[in-house]
Amino acid sequence: MKEHPIDHDLMTICREIVTENLSEEQWAEIESCDMFQRGGYCGGFDADDVFFNFSYYDEHKIRWCFSLTLDEVNAIHGGTKNVIEIEKWDDLWSQFQQES
């Protein structure tokens, strides 16, 4: 896992989410894994996890992933959260396979 600074693309996605002004229940009704796509980010709301789940591809084409609660999205939009924790997709996939 590593810290990832909030960049313009992620801030824009968070602004789009906040602008919708929906509750978690309302997001669950329209869940989509790829509703938000900008720059290296792709993601959407997952009703089972009650998170916004994202993939992020860095400049080296390495796939990372992270989840944000609606509260975290609001904190990013409000400027009180400046970094997030991201994890390599390959590491998560390996961990998932070991648990299965």
Side-chain angles (χ1 to χ4, degrees):
M1 227 183 255
K2 77 171 192 169
E3 287 192 343
H4 177 71
I6 305 303
D7 60 20
H8 177 74
D9 289 332
L10 184 54
M11 179 62 82
T12 299
I13 290 170
C14 289
R15 182 173 41 246
E16 290 173 16
I17 293 169
V18 170
T19 300
E20 290 293 326
N21 197 29
L22 300 176
S23 67
E24 289 175 342
E25 293 79 17
Q26 291 168 311
W27 280 111
E29 292 175 11
I30 58 170
E31 76 176 323
S32 169
C33 65
D34 61 356
M35 183 179 288
F36 301 100
Q37 299 178 30
R38 184 172 182 89
Y41 298 94
C42 180
F45 194 79
D46 184 297
D48 294 329
D49 294 335
V50 194
F51 288 126
F52 290 91
N53 292 316
F54 287 91
S55 289
Y56 166 70
Y57 289 88
D58 68 15
E59 64 276 2
H60 305 290
K61 306 294 184 209
I62 296 172
R63 184 178 181 186
W64 299 83
C65 55
F66 61 95
S67 298
L68 299 172
T69 65
L70 189 54
D71 287 342
E72 289 173 312
V73 167
N74 280 303
I76 291 168
H77 179 257
T80 59
K81 185 171 182 72
N82 299 314
V83 296
I84 57 171
E85 294 285 328
I86 62 175
E87 191 163 353
K88 282 187 181 177
W89 172 257
D90 291 342
D91 294 347
L92 281 179
W93 182 246
S94 294
Q95 185 179 13
F96 173 77
Q97 287 179 322
Q98 290 173 3
E99 293 173 1
S100 297

